Amino acid sequence: MYKFSANQVSLAEYSKDLTLFLRQKVQPVSALESDIFLRESEGGDLEVGKVSVSFSIHHSEEVEGVNACTCICMELNVEQASEGKPSAQLLCVLVSASSVSTKDFAHYPLVLIRGKAALAANFRDWLQMRFDCHVSRVRLSPFEVSHLTAQWLQHHHTQGAVCVHPLELTYGLPSSVPDLRQIVITVTAGDLDTILDRIGTTSMKDSQQTGSLIDGSPLFELVQQHVLANTHLVLSGMNLTRAACDVAMLAAEGKVKVLAVGQLSIVLKNLCKIALQTSPI
Protein backbone atom coordinates (compact mmCIF):
# COMPACT_ATOMS: atom_id res chain seq x y z
CA MET A 1 0.00 0.00 0.00
CA TYR A 2 1.66 3.17 -1.22
CA LYS A 3 2.12 5.96 1.35
CA PHE A 4 0.00 4.21 3.98
CA SER A 5 0.87 5.14 7.56
CA ALA A 6 -0.45 3.28 10.59
CA ASN A 7 -0.51 6.19 13.02
CA GLN A 8 -3.47 7.90 14.64
CA VAL A 9 -3.05 11.18 12.74
CA SER A 10 -2.98 9.46 9.35
CA LEU A 11 -5.87 7.14 10.25
CA ALA A 12 -7.98 10.16 11.18
CA GLU A 13 -7.25 11.66 7.76
CA TYR A 14 -8.20 8.39 6.06
CA SER A 15 -11.53 8.45 7.88
CA LYS A 16 -12.32 11.89 6.46
CA ASP A 17 -11.12 10.89 3.01
CA LEU A 18 -13.25 7.74 2.92
CA THR A 19 -16.32 9.62 4.15
CA LEU A 20 -15.90 12.18 1.36
CA PHE A 21 -15.34 9.41 -1.18
CA LEU A 22 -18.58 7.67 -0.25
CA ARG A 23 -20.55 10.91 -0.48
CA GLN A 24 -19.15 11.67 -3.93
CA LYS A 25 -19.29 8.14 -5.25
CA VAL A 26 -22.02 7.62 -7.85
CA GLN A 27 -22.58 4.17 -9.31
CA PRO A 28 -25.57 2.10 -10.43
CA VAL A 29 -26.83 -0.36 -7.84
CA SER A 30 -29.70 -2.80 -7.69
CA ALA A 31 -32.96 -1.90 -5.96
CA LEU A 32 -32.09 -4.23 -3.10
CA GLU A 33 -28.68 -2.61 -2.59
CA SER A 34 -30.10 0.90 -2.81
CA ASP A 35 -32.54 0.02 -0.02
CA ILE A 36 -29.60 -1.02 2.12
CA PHE A 37 -27.41 2.06 2.10
CA LEU A 38 -28.18 4.28 -0.89
CA ARG A 39 -31.31 5.68 -2.47
CA GLU A 40 -32.00 7.22 -5.87
CA SER A 41 -32.81 10.93 -5.82
CA GLU A 42 -35.36 12.46 -8.15
CA GLY A 43 -32.62 13.33 -10.62
CA GLY A 44 -31.46 9.71 -10.86
CA ASP A 45 -28.31 10.21 -8.79
CA LEU A 46 -27.48 8.25 -5.65
CA GLU A 47 -27.67 9.97 -2.29
CA VAL A 48 -25.73 8.61 0.68
CA GLY A 49 -27.11 8.98 4.19
CA LYS A 50 -25.04 9.95 7.24
CA VAL A 51 -21.61 8.31 7.17
CA SER A 52 -19.32 7.58 10.11
CA VAL A 53 -15.86 5.99 9.76
CA SER A 54 -13.34 5.03 12.43
CA PHE A 55 -9.90 3.41 12.18
CA SER A 56 -8.00 1.74 15.01
CA ILE A 57 -4.81 -0.29 15.52
CA HIS A 58 -4.77 -3.65 17.30
CA HIS A 59 -2.22 -6.38 17.94
CA SER A 60 -3.22 -10.02 18.31
CA GLU A 61 -1.81 -11.88 21.29
CA GLU A 62 1.37 -13.90 20.83
CA VAL A 63 1.07 -17.66 21.31
CA GLU A 64 3.80 -20.27 21.55
CA GLY A 65 5.76 -20.32 18.30
CA VAL A 66 3.56 -17.68 16.65
CA ASN A 67 4.29 -13.95 16.57
CA ALA A 68 1.55 -11.38 17.01
CA CYS A 69 -0.15 -9.85 13.97
CA THR A 70 -0.73 -6.15 13.41
CA CYS A 71 -4.32 -5.32 12.50
CA ILE A 72 -5.76 -2.05 11.20
CA CYS A 73 -9.50 -2.13 11.89
CA MET A 74 -11.98 0.05 10.02
CA GLU A 75 -15.62 0.39 11.09
CA LEU A 76 -17.98 2.05 8.64
CA ASN A 77 -21.61 2.93 9.31
CA VAL A 78 -23.93 4.38 6.67
CA GLU A 79 -27.38 5.47 7.84
CA GLN A 80 -30.35 5.16 5.53
CA ALA A 81 -31.23 8.22 3.50
CA SER A 82 -34.87 7.33 4.18
CA GLU A 83 -36.18 7.33 7.73
CA GLY A 84 -37.19 4.13 9.46
CA LYS A 85 -34.74 1.88 7.60
CA PRO A 86 -31.73 0.16 9.21
CA SER A 87 -28.22 1.43 8.65
CA ALA A 88 -25.56 -0.55 6.77
CA GLN A 89 -22.32 -1.48 8.53
CA LEU A 90 -18.98 -2.66 7.24
CA LEU A 91 -16.06 -4.03 9.23
CA CYS A 92 -12.68 -4.32 7.54
CA VAL A 93 -9.40 -5.58 9.02
CA LEU A 94 -6.03 -5.15 7.29
CA VAL A 95 -3.64 -7.80 8.61
CA SER A 96 0.16 -7.92 8.55
CA ALA A 97 2.00 -10.88 10.07
CA SER A 98 5.51 -9.64 9.31
CA SER A 99 7.60 -6.49 9.15
CA VAL A 100 7.85 -6.58 5.35
CA SER A 101 7.83 -2.96 4.18
CA THR A 102 9.84 -0.34 2.30
CA LYS A 103 10.23 3.38 2.65
CA ASP A 104 7.05 4.20 0.74
CA PHE A 105 5.08 0.94 0.91
CA ALA A 106 3.33 -0.87 3.76
CA HIS A 107 2.43 -4.51 3.22
CA TYR A 108 -0.89 -5.90 4.45
CA PRO A 109 -1.39 -9.14 2.49
CA LEU A 110 -4.67 -10.09 4.16
CA VAL A 111 -7.89 -8.06 4.14
CA LEU A 112 -10.88 -9.38 6.09
CA ILE A 113 -14.23 -7.78 5.25
CA ARG A 114 -17.68 -8.32 6.76
CA GLY A 115 -20.72 -6.43 5.52
CA LYS A 116 -22.92 -5.81 2.49
CA ALA A 117 -21.29 -6.60 -0.84
CA ALA A 118 -22.11 -3.23 -2.40
CA LEU A 119 -20.64 -1.30 0.51
CA ALA A 120 -17.57 -3.56 0.53
CA ALA A 121 -17.07 -2.85 -3.18
CA ASN A 122 -17.07 0.89 -2.51
CA PHE A 123 -14.50 0.48 0.26
CA ARG A 124 -12.34 -1.72 -1.97
CA ASP A 125 -12.44 0.89 -4.75
CA TRP A 126 -11.37 3.60 -2.31
CA LEU A 127 -8.55 1.45 -0.92
CA GLN A 128 -7.19 0.65 -4.38
CA MET A 129 -7.34 4.22 -5.66
CA ARG A 130 -6.10 5.87 -2.46
CA PHE A 131 -3.10 3.58 -1.88
CA ASP A 132 -2.35 2.27 -5.38
CA CYS A 133 -2.91 -1.35 -4.38
CA HIS A 134 -4.99 -4.32 -5.52
CA VAL A 135 -7.61 -6.23 -3.52
CA SER A 136 -9.05 -9.55 -4.71
CA ARG A 137 -10.77 -12.56 -3.16
CA VAL A 138 -8.56 -15.43 -2.02
CA ARG A 139 -9.76 -18.86 -3.10
CA LEU A 140 -8.57 -21.83 -1.06
CA SER A 141 -7.90 -25.28 -2.48
CA PRO A 142 -9.33 -28.38 -0.76
CA PHE A 143 -5.73 -29.20 0.22
CA GLU A 144 -5.33 -25.85 1.99
CA VAL A 145 -8.70 -26.10 3.75
CA SER A 146 -7.95 -29.58 5.13
CA HIS A 147 -4.39 -28.97 6.25
CA LEU A 148 -5.03 -25.56 7.79
CA THR A 149 -7.92 -27.01 9.76
CA ALA A 150 -5.80 -29.96 10.91
CA GLN A 151 -2.97 -27.65 11.94
CA TRP A 152 -5.26 -25.38 13.94
CA LEU A 153 -6.88 -28.33 15.67
CA GLN A 154 -3.55 -29.89 16.64
CA HIS A 155 -2.16 -26.57 17.90
CA HIS A 156 -5.32 -26.04 19.93
CA HIS A 157 -5.13 -29.59 21.29
CA THR A 158 -1.47 -29.34 22.34
CA GLN A 159 -2.37 -26.34 24.50
CA GLY A 160 -4.60 -28.56 26.61
CA ALA A 161 -7.92 -27.66 25.03
CA VAL A 162 -10.65 -30.31 24.91
CA CYS A 163 -12.85 -30.41 21.82
CA VAL A 164 -16.33 -29.04 22.47
CA HIS A 165 -17.78 -28.99 18.97
CA PRO A 166 -17.58 -31.71 16.31
CA LEU A 167 -15.43 -31.48 13.22
CA GLU A 168 -17.82 -30.84 10.33
CA LEU A 169 -16.57 -31.39 6.77
CA THR A 170 -18.56 -30.43 3.68
CA TYR A 171 -17.62 -32.09 0.40
CA GLY A 172 -18.83 -31.03 -3.02
CA LEU A 173 -19.73 -33.89 -5.35
CA PRO A 174 -18.77 -34.06 -9.03
CA SER A 175 -21.41 -33.19 -11.61
CA SER A 176 -21.53 -36.84 -12.68
CA VAL A 177 -23.43 -37.63 -9.45
CA PRO A 178 -27.13 -36.87 -10.07
CA ASP A 179 -29.47 -35.21 -7.55
CA LEU A 180 -26.79 -34.72 -4.90
CA ARG A 181 -24.61 -31.64 -4.67
CA GLN A 182 -22.76 -32.17 -1.40
CA ILE A 183 -22.36 -34.39 1.64
CA VAL A 184 -21.45 -33.48 5.21
CA ILE A 185 -19.20 -35.69 7.34
CA THR A 186 -19.24 -35.11 11.12
CA VAL A 187 -16.64 -36.33 13.62
CA THR A 188 -17.93 -36.04 17.19
CA ALA A 189 -15.94 -34.03 19.72
CA GLY A 190 -15.11 -37.15 21.76
CA ASP A 191 -13.86 -39.09 18.73
CA LEU A 192 -11.88 -36.05 17.58
CA ASP A 193 -10.10 -35.82 20.95
CA THR A 194 -9.20 -39.51 20.72
CA ILE A 195 -7.80 -39.11 17.20
CA LEU A 196 -5.74 -36.04 18.16
CA ASP A 197 -4.35 -37.82 21.22
CA ARG A 198 -3.16 -40.72 19.08
CA ILE A 199 -1.72 -38.55 16.34
CA GLY A 200 0.51 -36.64 18.76
CA THR A 201 2.36 -33.43 17.94
CA THR A 202 5.51 -34.63 16.15
CA SER A 203 4.40 -33.64 12.65
CA MET A 204 3.27 -30.18 13.78
CA LYS A 205 6.60 -29.48 15.54
CA ASP A 206 8.48 -30.54 12.42
CA SER A 207 6.46 -28.15 10.28
CA GLN A 208 7.09 -25.24 12.68
CA GLN A 209 10.84 -25.91 12.63
CA THR A 210 10.95 -25.95 8.83
CA GLY A 211 8.56 -23.01 8.45
CA SER A 212 6.17 -25.11 6.39
CA LEU A 213 2.57 -23.99 6.06
CA ILE A 214 1.30 -27.56 6.02
CA ASP A 215 1.71 -29.70 9.12
CA GLY A 216 1.38 -33.10 7.46
CA SER A 217 -1.28 -34.21 9.95
CA PRO A 218 -2.84 -37.61 9.23
CA LEU A 219 -6.16 -36.39 10.67
CA PHE A 220 -7.97 -36.12 7.35
CA GLU A 221 -6.39 -39.30 6.03
CA LEU A 222 -7.77 -41.21 9.03
CA VAL A 223 -11.22 -39.67 8.50
CA GLN A 224 -11.15 -40.65 4.82
CA GLN A 225 -10.13 -44.22 5.65
CA HIS A 226 -12.91 -44.54 8.23
CA VAL A 227 -15.57 -43.23 5.83
CA LEU A 228 -14.34 -45.52 3.05
CA ALA A 229 -14.43 -48.58 5.33
CA ASN A 230 -17.97 -47.87 6.56
CA THR A 231 -19.70 -46.24 3.59
CA HIS A 232 -17.50 -47.04 0.55
CA LEU A 233 -17.36 -43.31 -0.21
CA VAL A 234 -14.02 -42.11 -1.59
CA LEU A 235 -13.65 -38.62 -0.10
CA SER A 236 -10.32 -38.06 -1.83
CA GLY A 237 -12.24 -37.90 -5.10
CA MET A 238 -14.42 -35.04 -3.84
CA ASN A 239 -13.71 -31.37 -3.19
CA LEU A 240 -13.59 -30.25 0.43
CA THR A 241 -15.42 -26.91 0.33
CA ARG A 242 -15.86 -26.16 4.04
CA ALA A 243 -14.45 -27.27 7.39
CA ALA A 244 -15.70 -26.20 10.82
CA CYS A 245 -14.16 -27.00 14.20
CA ASP A 246 -13.58 -25.47 17.64
CA VAL A 247 -10.93 -23.09 16.28
CA ALA A 248 -12.55 -21.71 13.13
CA MET A 249 -14.84 -22.22 10.18
CA LEU A 250 -12.97 -22.07 6.88
CA ALA A 251 -14.53 -22.16 3.40
CA ALA A 252 -12.84 -22.60 0.04
CA GLU A 253 -14.62 -19.51 -1.30
CA GLY A 254 -12.47 -17.37 1.00
CA LYS A 255 -14.63 -17.08 4.12
CA VAL A 256 -13.39 -17.54 7.69
CA LYS A 257 -14.98 -17.24 11.12
CA VAL A 258 -12.65 -17.51 14.12
CA LEU A 259 -14.29 -19.20 17.12
CA ALA A 260 -11.31 -19.66 19.46
CA VAL A 261 -10.01 -16.17 20.26
CA GLY A 262 -6.85 -17.61 21.78
CA GLN A 263 -5.94 -19.08 18.38
CA LEU A 264 -6.45 -15.83 16.46
CA SER A 265 -2.72 -15.23 15.87
CA ILE A 266 -2.05 -18.60 14.28
CA VAL A 267 -5.18 -18.36 12.11
CA LEU A 268 -4.27 -14.88 10.84
CA LYS A 269 -0.62 -15.81 10.30
CA ASN A 270 -1.52 -18.91 8.26
CA LEU A 271 -4.03 -16.96 6.16
CA CYS A 272 -1.40 -14.27 5.53
CA LYS A 273 0.91 -16.99 4.18
CA ILE A 274 -1.84 -18.16 1.84
CA ALA A 275 -2.37 -14.58 0.65
CA LEU A 276 1.37 -14.13 0.08
CA GLN A 277 1.50 -17.29 -2.01
CA THR A 278 -1.45 -16.08 -4.06
CA SER A 279 -0.08 -12.58 -4.61
CA PRO A 280 3.64 -12.35 -3.77
CA ILE A 281 5.42 -9.04 -3.24
Side-chain angles (χ1 to χ4, degrees):
M1 297 172 64
Y2 183 64
K3 297 293 185 179
F4 178 86
S5 298
N7 59 68
Q8 296 297 341
V9 175
S10 296
L11 294 180
E13 289 298 320
Y14 301 155
S15 297
K16 297 178 182 178
D17 189 58
L18 178 55
T19 300
L20 181 62
F21 174 84
L22 289 174
R23 291 190 175 281
Q24 295 178 340
K25 178 84 170 176
V26 175
Q27 65 178 30
V29 296
S30 68
L32 176 60
E33 291 172 336
S34 65
D35 277 342
I36 294 172
F37 71 98
L38 299 172
R39 70 174 176 85
E40 295 185 13
S41 65
E42 293 181 358
D45 295 329
L46 297 175
E47 182 179 334
V48 181
K50 183 180 179 181
V51 179
S52 62
V53 181
S54 64
F55 283 87
S56 58
I57 305 174
H58 300 276
H59 299 277
S60 64
E61 294 183 1
E62 292 189 12
V63 295
E64 184 179 356
V66 181
N67 296 328
C69 297
T70 300
C71 302
I72 307 298
C73 300
M74 188 281 301
E75 293 186 50
L76 171 62
N77 185 79
V78 179
E79 293 185 3
Q80 285 283 11
S82 301
E83 294 183 2
K85 293 187 177 181
S87 60
Q89 296 179 330
L90 184 75
L91 175 63
C92 175
V93 183
L94 309 179
V95 184
S96 176
S98 66
S99 58
V100 177
S101 61
T102 63
K103 180 180 179 181
D104 294 324
F105 290 88
H107 194 220
Y108 291 84
L110 181 64
V111 181
L112 303 175
I113 299 177
R114 184 181 70 183
K116 298 297 182 181
L119 192 54
N122 281 327
F123 172 75
R124 183 192 62 209
D125 290 345
W126 171 80
L127 200 66
Q128 293 181 142
M129 290 190 295
R130 180 65 175 78
F131 301 106
D132 194 19
C133 61
H134 177 69
V135 181
S136 60
R137 180 184 290 272
V138 173
R139 304 283 182 178
L140 303 174
S141 69
F143 181 76
E144 290 167 335
V145 173
S146 64
H147 283 80
L148 284 176
T149 302
Q151 185 180 35
W152 297 340
L153 272 172
Q154 281 194 244
H155 191 277
H156 194 45
H157 192 70
T158 56
Q159 292 185 321
V162 177
C163 294
V164 177
H165 300 97
L167 172 63
E168 187 177 279
L169 308 173
T170 303
Y171 288 87
L173 300 181
S175 56
S176 58
V177 179
D179 303 325
L180 190 61
R181 298 180 58 185
Q182 65 181 30
I183 63 172
V184 178
I185 304 297
T186 300
V187 181
T188 65
D191 290 341
L192 188 56
D193 271 326
T194 301
I195 294 173
L196 292 173
D197 284 337
R198 293 181 179 179
I199 287 175
T201 60
T202 302
S203 60
M204 186 181 68
K205 289 181 178 179
D206 290 342
S207 70
Q208 290 178 347
Q209 291 173 358
T210 59
S212 172
L213 172 67
I214 305 305
D215 70 340
S217 168
L219 172 62
F220 279 77
E221 182 179 350
L222 293 174
V223 171
Q224 290 175 1
Q225 291 175 355
H226 176 76
V227 172
L228 178 61
N230 290 274
T231 67
H232 299 290
L233 289 175
V234 182
L235 295 182
S236 59
M238 307 176 191
N239 289 324
L240 179 64
T241 59
R242 182 181 181 273
C245 63
D246 278 346
V247 178
M249 183 282 291
L250 185 64
E253 59 185 317
K255 293 183 178 180
V256 63
K257 181 177 182 179
V258 180
L259 304 176
V261 178
Q263 301 300 311
L264 180 61
S265 289
I266 190 172
V267 171
L268 294 180
K269 193 174 185 67
N270 286 161
L271 292 177
C272 278
K273 288 183 180 179
I274 292 288
L276 283 170
Q277 292 174 355
T278 304
S279 181
I281 299 176

